[in-house]
Amino acid sequence: MSENNALQFDAVSVSQSPADRFEEYLQSRGLRSTDQRRYLVEQVFSRHEHFDADQLIDQLPRKGEANHVSRPTVYRTLKEFVDAGLLRRFELNGRSVYEHDYGYPEHDHLYCVKCHVLLEFQSDQLVQLREEVAKQYRFRVRSHRLIIHGICESCNRSASRTRRKQDLV
Amino acid sequence: MSENNALQFDAVSVSQSPADRFEEYLQSRGLRSTDQRRYLVEQVFSRHEHFDADQLIDQLPRKGEANHVSRPTVYRTLKEFVDAGLLRRFELNGRSVYEHDYGYPEHDHLYCVKCHVLLEFQSDQLVQLREEVAKQYRFRVRSHRLIIHGICESCNRSASRTRRKQDLV
DNA sequence: ATCATTGCAAAAGATTTGCAAGGTC
DNA sequence: GACCTTGCAAATCTTTTGCAATGAT
């Protein structure tokens, strides 16, 4: 959730802004550029954190205010962002979570089951392992998703502090 | 403590049936052994495939027939199987999927986005990689889940056959 | 007898859809 | 003008919950 988790952008892959890229995508499919879509690209790419539909909606103007976007439109647009290659979706605790894809390097996650923070990490070894397994099974890889569940450093620390103080369960 | 314990532990974890293990779990928590629970353990461990709640329910006797179990009870019991260490749960396409955990080796999955088959594979390298990453982030690992998405061998084959015949999309 | 469990109906949470009105090309 | 998009309300899908009746220990 904190900005520190963001991996370094690769200058290479970014020649076009997400907004431009989305415009291109819409054109190529005969879809239309609307206020709502433009505003949502802007909002979604204004921060790097992972988010779900509700978190995005909370970040938007309420009903009645300028730039409000209805819930169904948010869902419909998120789906388009995924199709357009701007976002990647995955599932955590039964809900869809989105993260930047466009211009952002491939990575995996450490998920703290206590404070729910999602930390990112990169591992070339993993990509290699993936290719080996795929080869062995004659499987054509499209993508992968690795999530390591556990307790993060700071939750570990506060847990042991608590234990010392309260003599604990 | 004593050697006895070690032996016993070993014997228990290797030779006890899922049903027995579940009975033990229930006892240890002051929960009760019921027809429904006994029947569900039996059903769940009668086949090894992955399944979701609906698939399990479809496999059970319908309402009015003997051994019918209501939908809420199925959900409640699946949760207990997970707590008891009999099943592992993960998410795929927005729904919970269960697989045998008790007495079954750790593994990961290849998921065919075309025919939806889930293939299992084992990789010691992955476990090692997981430990390295965790160490680096001072993360206490509880578990992990890796799913490689792509197209399986047989879908690949039929795709190319189709392509040849129909001169493709 | 006590307290857990079940089944029912209903609720809840996340996401989707039909449709009429409005916007874009 | 054609037809895509939006917002609304309502539907859908999966899972959960309150509660009274039933069952296990």
Side-chain angles (χ1 to χ4, degrees), chain B residues 31-32 34 36-37 70 73 76:
Chain B
L31 304 177
R32 290 165 186 182
T34 65
Q36 290 88 336
R37 283 171 178 166
S70 72
T73 294
R76 288 187 276 234

Side-chain angles (χ1 to χ4, degrees), chain A residues 2-3 9 12 21 28 30 34 43 72 79 120 134 142 147 169:
Chain A
S2 60
E3 310 251 336
F9 265 82
V12 172
R21 161 121 182 184
S28 75
T34 66
Q43 287 299 303
K79 212 173 278 176
E120 298 178 355
R142 178 165 298 181
I147 301 183
V169 201

Side-chain angles (χ1 to χ4, degrees), chain A residues 32-158:
Chain A
R32 288 163 189 184
S33 180
T34 66
D35 290 344
Q36 289 88 335
R37 283 172 178 166
R38 283 187 298 270
Y39 187 68
L40 287 174
V41 183
E42 184 193 316
Q43 287 299 303
V44 160
F45 282 88
S46 69
R47 305 194 291 145
H48 178 68
E49 295 88 89
H50 305 86
F51 63 94
D52 61 26
D54 267 324
Q55 290 172 323
L56 174 56
I57 288 166
D58 283 350
Q59 167 187 341
L60 300 173
R62 317 271 150 219
K63 197 182 296 192
E65 297 174 21
N67 284 324
H68 169 72
V69 181
S70 73
R71 182 171 287 270
T73 295
V74 168
Y75 276 99
R76 286 187 277 233
T77 307
L78 284 172
K79 212 173 278 176
E80 265 146 22
F81 288 168
V82 172
D83 283 353
L86 295 186
L87 295 181
R88 260 166 77 77
R89 178 180 55 230
F90 59 103
E91 272 137 42
L92 206 53
N93 298 324
R95 57 200 301 142
S96 290
V97 177
Y98 299 86
E99 63 177 4
H100 294 179
D101 185 4
Y102 180 63
Y104 199 73
E106 194 170 26
H107 60 273
D108 287 280
H109 298 98
L110 293 157
Y111 174 62
C112 178
V113 298
K114 211 160 184 182
C115 69
H116 302 147
V117 74
L118 265 182
L119 304 166
E120 298 178 355
F121 70 91
Q122 263 179 302
S123 168
D124 297 337
Q125 242 188 93
L126 176 59
V127 174
Q128 203 181 312
L129 188 156
R130 178 184 95 169
E131 297 316 321
E132 278 165 28
V133 172
K135 194 173 198 174
Q136 197 179 323
Y137 287 80
R138 298 172 201 277
F139 195 85
R140 186 178 307 168
V141 175
R142 178 165 298 181
S143 66
H144 79 269
R145 182 63 74 181
L146 168 63
I147 301 183
I148 301 178
H149 290 242
I151 313 276
C152 73
E153 186 180 6
S154 73
C155 283
N156 267 326
R157 271 209 300 260
S158 46

